[in-house]
Amino acid sequence: MPLSLHPDGRPGPFPADAQRRDFILRGAAGLAAAAGLAAGGWPLRALAQAASPLTFAFWPWGSEIVQHGAARFTQESGVPVNLSPIPGDYAAVLETQLAAKAPLDMFYAQRGQASRWYAAGWIRPIDDMPGLADIQKQMFPGIVEDAKATDGRYLGLTYYNGGPYALFRNEKILGEAGYGGTANAADYPRDWATVEKQAREIKKKGLAQHPMLMPWYNAWTGLPWALIAQCFAEGERFVDGELRATFGPDTPLTKVLTDWKRWWDDELVQRAVLTWSGTETSSSWMKGQHAFHLNIDYYSFNYNDPAKSQIAEYSSYNPVVPGATHDTVLVGHALLCMSTRKRSDAGQAALWELVKYFGYRDRAGQLTTHKNWIAKANLEVPFPELYRDPDSRAAIMKWMYPAHREQVYQWLFEGREKAVAANILKAPWYQEWDTGMHEMIAQDMLIKGTRTPAQVATELRARWDGLYKKYAKILKRS
């Protein structure tokens, strides 16, 4: 879906330079004054008297955590919070509301969506918010970098990160094939050639008809994210810091696409996955029908739950994502963003407190919201200290492969600790490119075979270059 353009070529309702500078400067001065009201700490009753109710739009997963957090925030601060859950196609509905200047204050945005909505002028950067630098020092460096726009401005605090990816292992099938896991990381596959060799042997022995379950399901969180994750593990970065393409037919992208085509043709991968949902893909893994499965690492909260999974005691992680570099990437970074809606100084200060409540610490100085997300679903949170927190560690540990819990927990943490930003998702035109990319790979390369991997890489590069020329100059003027 392309960005809308004004007659003069600017994307969306982007304010002019002078307007944006004035907006930020006034915001900083007002926040400094409002911060004085709150100098005594919580409850911020003086602030609450001057602030209007805040509206928080979110996708309704883990709604109980959001509801409880909003109620606590209001109880402690005196600032009312109107919750606005958006089921279904969250991105489309929220974008419509933002374009219509609906009275929203804070909202969730996946990384690709945040890029688009910031370019349209709907996200207020938080660089001038009090205490931000100290918050950033406590976070994983990769998450700090990933929250920045290409102009360096910080778009929001982190709700969670849907990534990095991990290679899940079904130790029951792998053990029967003679490839069972140990406590030694060196005993596991470090490249896809080894994974493929083992998968072929497993298929030959009749232990699994489709040994490799790849998350190529039919959603923007499926095949596109899987491509980015696997390419990063091979050393592919796609774009530079200026969003200029660095990929093409002679980069690791083609190697990954060639692997995919071979696995598809030889039916190492179940072909129905292209039409599945994410839920159907996970369900197939939990039935124990595959030996290897690439997916976001937090899915252990389902895969190792005996109430949901038939292989709860057998699902484990490979120590690294196979590839030339084993790099992990932040594909699903979900941010807590502020809208550019006009607010009083007190209202802006109250909103910052709400953003911190859900993206940082509560009144007692605890990372309560993030601890709740860990306890619910092993979501990656931005603060490494929680991986040393006894309660959070215990919550995650129950979803680790029982035979090697300590080692698997360490592999999980290491993958998250080193995860890097995906600049490709920072391009406001990424979602427009993503749609065509998904169709070309699934239909032309895999199903029809009318394009080779090298031809797909060449065409994808041409499309990116075209979009770069279309939008980059516009962004530089904004």
Side-chain angles (χ1 to χ4, degrees):
M1 183 163 49
L3 292 169
S4 59
L5 299 177
H6 286 300
D8 65 355
R10 289 181 292 117
F14 224 137
D17 288 346
Q19 291 175 309
R20 182 178 288 274
R21 283 195 300 270
D22 182 59
F23 177 75
I24 292 177
L25 290 172
R26 285 188 293 106
L31 282 168
L37 296 174
W42 291 57
L44 306 177
R45 296 299 171 183
L47 185 61
Q49 291 173 7
S52 301
L54 300 171
T55 299
F56 175 15
F58 63 101
W59 51 73
W61 185 86
S63 296
E64 72 283 3
I65 294 176
V66 176
Q67 292 165 354
H68 180 69
R72 281 191 64 199
F73 176 83
T74 297
Q75 181 181 18
E76 295 174 3
S77 71
V79 179
V81 178
N82 298 325
L83 294 178
S84 178
I86 300 176
D89 193 343
Y90 172 85
V93 173
L94 186 68
E95 182 161 321
T96 299
Q97 293 183 4
L98 291 170
K101 298 183 179 180
L104 302 175
D105 294 293
M106 184 172 82
F107 51 87
Y108 288 162
Q110 286 281 4
R111 192 60 191 78
Q113 297 159 4
S115 299
R116 176 181 172 84
W117 296 341
Y118 175 62
W122 300 327
I123 291 178
R124 183 200 190 281
I126 63 172
D127 304 80
D128 59 331
M129 295 294 102
L132 177 63
D134 183 59
I135 296 173
Q136 292 172 326
K137 291 177 184 177
Q138 301 171 51
M139 298 168 65
F140 285 122
I143 288 182
V144 173
E145 184 61 31
D146 199 49
K148 295 178 183 178
T150 53
D151 62 8
R153 289 173 178 156
Y154 210 68
L155 298 185
L157 294 185
T158 298
Y159 151 34
Y160 85 102
N161 189 77
Y165 276 59
L167 181 65
F168 288 89
R169 296 167 50 88
N170 180 344
E171 295 294 351
K172 185 175 189 297
I173 290 178
L174 288 165
E176 291 172 354
Y179 303 124
T182 72
N184 183 8
D187 294 336
Y188 292 79
R190 296 185 62 81
D191 54 55
W192 285 104
T194 303
V195 173
E196 180 178 333
K197 180 180 178 181
Q198 294 182 5
R200 290 185 183 280
E201 186 64 22
I202 287 167
K203 184 178 179 71
K204 183 178 180 181
K205 291 181 177 180
L207 297 173
Q209 185 178 2
H210 306 292
M212 301 172 68
L213 176 61
M214 302 301 290
W216 301 341
Y217 56 87
N218 189 26
W220 56 271
T221 58
L223 185 150
W225 280 8
L227 181 71
I228 293 173
Q230 192 169 335
C231 280
F232 262 71
E234 296 285 3
E236 178 71 80
R237 289 295 186 267
F238 289 100
V239 300
D240 61 18
E242 301 296 323
L243 301 181
R244 290 184 294 261
T246 59
F247 67 90
D250 55 351
T251 72
L253 169 62
T254 301
K255 189 266 182 189
V256 171
L257 293 176
T258 300
D259 286 346
W260 284 18
K261 178 61 173 171
R262 188 172 59 256
W263 301 342
W264 171 270
D265 288 345
D266 295 346
E267 294 193 67
L268 296 176
V269 177
Q270 189 155 342
R271 295 184 175 181
V273 72
L274 291 181
T275 63
W276 284 353
S277 66
T279 300
E280 289 172 307
T281 304
S282 293
S283 177
S284 189
W285 177 251
M286 291 187 288
K287 292 176 183 177
Q289 298 175 344
H290 315 278
F292 298 103
H293 173 41
L294 185 69
N295 208 348
I296 299 171
D297 66 9
Y298 70 70
Y299 273 91
S300 59
F301 89 97
N302 278 330
Y303 296 169
N304 295 88
D305 183 347
K308 303 174 184 177
S309 174
Q310 297 177 31
I311 57 169
E313 61 181 304
Y314 299 112
S315 185
S316 186
Y317 295 119
N318 207 62
V320 295
V321 179
T325 64
H326 315 300
D327 291 333
T328 55
V329 61
L330 301 166
V331 290
H333 194 172
L335 297 168
L336 294 157
C337 296
M338 293 182 177
S339 74
T340 50
R341 176 188 182 191
K342 289 186 177 180
R343 284 175 284 271
S344 66
D345 293 341
Q348 185 60 56
L351 177 57
W352 176 232
E353 294 301 328
L354 180 65
V355 172
K356 288 192 295 182
Y357 205 86
F358 280 89
Y360 183 46
R361 299 184 188 271
D362 61 14
R363 175 187 179 184
Q366 299 298 309
L367 298 166
T368 300
T369 302
H370 290 298
K371 289 185 69 170
N372 287 337
W373 290 124
I374 284 177
K376 180 178 179 63
N378 189 22
L379 298 188
E380 182 188 359
V381 297
F383 300 100
E385 70 183 76
L386 285 180
Y387 293 89
R388 299 184 295 271
D389 172 73
D391 293 336
S392 295
R393 180 182 172 84
I396 297 173
M397 196 66 76
K398 70 176 181 286
W399 294 310
M400 299 295 98
Y401 175 52
H404 305 298
R405 273 199 175 93
E406 291 291 337
Q407 290 82 2
V408 173
Y409 183 91
Q410 184 64 27
W411 299 336
L412 171 74
F413 176 75
E414 289 172 355
R416 294 179 172 188
E417 183 180 35
K418 69 181 183 181
V420 297
N423 282 340
I424 188 173
L425 296 174
K426 295 184 179 183
W429 58 87
Y430 165 76
Q431 290 183 305
E432 188 174 347
W433 179 82
D434 167 290
T435 302
M437 174 267 284
H438 191 163
E439 180 77 8
M440 190 185 304
I441 292 174
Q443 292 295 324
D444 298 345
M445 190 187 84
L446 295 179
I447 295 176
K448 299 176 184 176
T450 54
R451 277 192 173 101
T452 67
Q455 288 172 335
V456 169
T458 299
E459 177 62 23
L460 291 178
R461 171 62 183 265
R463 292 191 180 192
W464 186 273
D465 289 344
L467 290 167
Y468 180 88
K469 291 178 181 178
K470 180 179 179 181
Y471 291 119
K473 292 182 179 179
I474 297 172
L475 295 179
K476 289 179 181 178
R477 293 201 304 268
S478 62

